[in-house]
């Protein structure tokens, strides 16, 4: 990616509220990923050294290479925030061009950028010219179906010197509804000369990642929510693409091991009380692949201390035993159906069972 040599073409997508240092460290420890990106950060807040913005860019030596995602519509602020990040050792800058949330769009950033090609190109050129580290852009296919601007925007940004383009295969109007359009991502791949295009959207399995590579010709894929369910997705995808072999889904014990590690890092970095409270919204994502979880989901959203965490988790592990056989495997009637991406051809039985990947509640519902 520009001057950055990466060891994997699989990327962790920015997820505001989730892709903080503890989560990135967990994902890196499991493996298969190299460049990870922070939550989106307001360029102006960073220049003002706003404590919240500084917490969003918190990192350490194990969290490398790291891209910080910036948003904002003022070229000088975007450039200066990026220069600051470069000066503190950040590996790359990603520019948010996909966010439809009003707070972001009113700054002239986020998905507003997809509608004004010249202005966006100039802003990006100003950043690329000032920086030594690579600059990438993350966009959706366009504002809506009548305004599919991603191919033109990608071309304009390639001219401006971006090192990579990340594209979520939905429009801003789609929110998270409907299917990810692989043909839309392919159009972006075909629009540019040589800049790597990274496809994104709904990848929840190694097969889905491979399918996206094959159908779009993209140079890499980026996974967001799929990494919540399955922090192993990068490692398993790498293995599948290299060897054709699908590794078995992680066992319950492996999932619990990683969940514990995530919790430990959360309280180490955010403190016991805040880390526990933040973990309330993280744990239910892991739990989606545990089988029956009712009492766990009810109790975990009330934890405030490590003691609460241990009590809830240990109580749940014991409660869950009634749904398993003597080897600890879920009894057939409780087994989970495999996750299938929206863009995969599914067998009919799976279509009936398939649920869209949930989107956490809050202002990001329409990301
Ligand atoms: C909770 C949440 C927060 C998100 N935050 C950001 C963000 O800060 N910056 C960004 O560019 N995209 C953000 N996105 C979009 C994701 O990066 C990604 O493009 C989208 O979720 C589709 O990929 P996925 O299906 O693999 O999750 C967010 C999505 C979700 C669900």
């Amino acid at each position: 990616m520009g001057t950055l040599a990466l060891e994997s073409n699989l990327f962790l997508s920015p997820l505001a509220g989730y892709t903080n240092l503890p989560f990135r460290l967990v994902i890196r420890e499991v493996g298969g990923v190299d460049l990870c990106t922070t939550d989106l950060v307001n360029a102006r807040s960073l220049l003002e050294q706003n404590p919240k913005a500084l917490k969003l860019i918190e990192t350490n030596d194990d969290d490398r290479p790291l891209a910080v995602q910036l948003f904002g519509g003022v070229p000088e602020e975007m450039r200066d925030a990026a220069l600051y990040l470069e000066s503190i050792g950040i590996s790359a800058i990603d520019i948010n061009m996909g966010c439809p949330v009003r707070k972001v769009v009113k700054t002239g950033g986020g998905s507003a950028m997809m509608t004004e090609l010249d202005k966006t190109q100039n802003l990006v050129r100003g950043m690329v010219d000032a920086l030594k580290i690579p600059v990438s852009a993350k966009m959706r296919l366009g504002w809506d179906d009548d305004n599919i601007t991603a191919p033109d925007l990608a071309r304009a940004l390639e001219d401006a010197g971006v090192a990579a383009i990340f594209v979520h295969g939905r429009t801003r109007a789609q929110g998270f509804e409907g299917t990810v359009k692989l043909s839309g991502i392919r159009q972006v791949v075909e629009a540019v000369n040589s800049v790597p295009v990274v496809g994104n959207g709904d990848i929840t399995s190694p097969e889905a990642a491979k399918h996206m590579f094959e159908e779009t010709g993209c140079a890499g894929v980026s996974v967001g929510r799929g990494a919540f369910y399955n922090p192993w997705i990068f490692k398993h995808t790498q293995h599948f693409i290299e060897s054709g072999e699908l590794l078995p889904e992680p066992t319950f014990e492996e999932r619990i091991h990683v969940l514990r590690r995530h919790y430990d890092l959360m309280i180490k970095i955010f403190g016991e009380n805040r880390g526990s409270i933040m973990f309330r919204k993280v744990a239910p994502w892991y739990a989606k692949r545990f089988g029956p979880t009712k009492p766990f989901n009810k109790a975990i959203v009330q934890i405030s201390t490590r003691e609460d965490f241990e009590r809830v988790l240990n109580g749940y592990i014991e409660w869950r035993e009634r749904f398993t056989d003597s080897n600890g495997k879920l009894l057939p009637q409780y087994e989970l159906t495999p996750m299938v991406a929206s863009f995969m051809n599914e067998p009919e039985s799976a279509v009936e069972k398939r649920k869209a990947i949930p989107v956490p509640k809050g202002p990001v519902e329409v990301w």
Side-chain angles (χ1 to χ4, degrees):
M1 200 177 121
T3 50
L4 202 58
L6 296 178
E7 282 172 18
S8 172
N9 57 354
L10 310 176
F11 300 83
L12 176 66
S13 277
L15 297 164
Y18 293 91
T19 33
N20 45 32
L21 179 58
F23 186 51
R24 298 193 304 266
L25 291 175
V26 164
I27 292 291
R28 291 178 188 283
E29 285 175 13
V30 175
V33 75
D34 201 17
L35 187 72
C36 293
T37 306
T38 63
D39 299 11
L40 83 174
V41 184
N42 184 328
R44 185 175 301 167
S45 302
L46 198 58
L47 288 173
E48 289 168 352
Q49 300 275 297
N50 173 309
K52 278 195 187 145
L54 294 178
K55 195 72 187 165
L56 289 175
I57 62 163
E58 182 174 0
T59 180
N60 66 25
D61 289 346
D62 296 327
D63 184 34
R64 295 281 181 275
L66 178 68
V68 170
Q69 189 186 62
L70 288 176
F71 78 89
V74 181
E76 296 73 24
E77 288 177 358
M78 289 291 278
R79 181 198 61 206
D80 293 347
L83 279 168
Y84 164 70
L85 292 166
E86 181 178 76
S87 77
I88 59 166
I90 297 299
S91 312
I93 306 295
D94 186 43
I95 308 174
N96 182 307
M97 301 190 183
C99 176
V101 175
R102 202 178 314 129
K103 194 174 98 183
V104 171
V105 175
K106 81 170 189 226
T107 68
S111 50
M113 283 187 153
M114 297 190 303
T115 62
E116 295 191 82
L117 296 198
D118 289 346
K119 215 172 132 191
T120 303
Q121 191 184 36
N122 286 334
L123 179 146
V124 172
R125 189 168 276 136
M127 294 174 75
V128 171
D129 290 349
L131 293 167
K132 290 185 208 66
I133 55 175
V135 175
S136 60
K138 177 158 180 290
M139 60 185 75
R140 283 176 176 250
L141 294 180
W143 191 259
D144 54 29
D145 279 346
D146 297 330
N147 296 282
I148 299 294
T149 45
D152 287 342
L153 179 57
R155 233 187 331 259
L157 297 184
E158 181 171 38
D159 279 350
V162 293
I165 287 164
F166 291 79
V167 56
H168 175 191
R170 288 190 173 91
T171 61
R172 185 218 58 106
Q174 257 184 297
F176 279 93
E177 301 293 317
T179 307
V180 162
K181 281 203 195 84
L182 298 183
S183 56
I185 297 177
R186 172 169 275 286
Q187 280 172 20
V188 179
V189 172
E190 286 168 356
V192 298
N193 285 319
S194 60
V195 66
V197 173
V198 178
N200 165 242
D202 282 4
I203 294 173
T204 47
S205 66
E207 296 103 307
K210 185 160 182 271
H211 190 70
M212 187 180 277
F213 273 115
E214 286 170 355
E215 293 297 309
T216 67
C218 60
V221 301
S222 174
V223 181
R225 291 165 297 162
F228 280 154
Y229 292 102
N230 183 4
W232 288 263
I233 189 153
F234 305 102
K235 191 174 159 183
H236 286 195
T237 297
Q238 247 182 1
H239 185 84
F240 182 53
I241 287 174
E242 279 162 18
S243 70
E245 180 201 13
L246 265 182
L247 292 170
E249 280 218 19
T251 62
F252 177 65
E253 287 69 27
E254 288 171 302
R255 290 182 193 274
I256 292 295
H257 179 77
V258 172
L259 171 128
R260 274 189 187 285
R261 175 72 180 141
H262 196 158
Y263 177 76
D264 286 347
L265 286 165
M266 208 76 162
I267 64 171
K268 185 169 165 206
I269 291 159
F270 292 101
E272 181 171 351
N273 181 250
R274 175 134 186 260
S276 297
I277 290 171
M278 288 172 76
F279 205 68
R280 292 175 182 180
K281 67 173 186 182
V282 174
W285 285 94
Y286 283 92
K288 286 183 204 297
R289 303 304 288 168
F290 287 173
T293 45
K294 226 173 170 180
F296 178 77
N297 283 341
K298 227 172 129 194
I300 200 76
V301 295
Q302 300 182 37
I303 62 166
S304 306
T305 60
R306 174 178 278 285
E307 203 186 322
D308 293 343
F309 172 76
E310 294 295 346
R311 182 179 32 80
V312 170
L313 185 59
N314 293 331
Y316 170 65
I317 292 172
E318 204 185 310
W319 178 84
R320 184 180 175 275
E321 278 170 13
R322 71 194 66 183
F323 304 103
T324 61
D325 62 20
S326 53
N327 298 318
K329 231 176 130 286
L330 281 175
L331 296 170
Q333 65 268 40
Y334 300 111
E335 269 175 22
L336 298 162
T337 45
M339 310 262 327
V340 182
S342 66
F343 53 79
M344 297 290 275
N345 295 326
E346 303 167 57
E348 240 161 64
S349 57
V351 174
E352 280 166 31
K353 286 187 182 157
R354 179 174 76 78
K355 290 199 181 85
I357 320 181
V359 179
K361 291 207 171 24
V364 285
E365 270 175 85
V366 285
W367 268 97

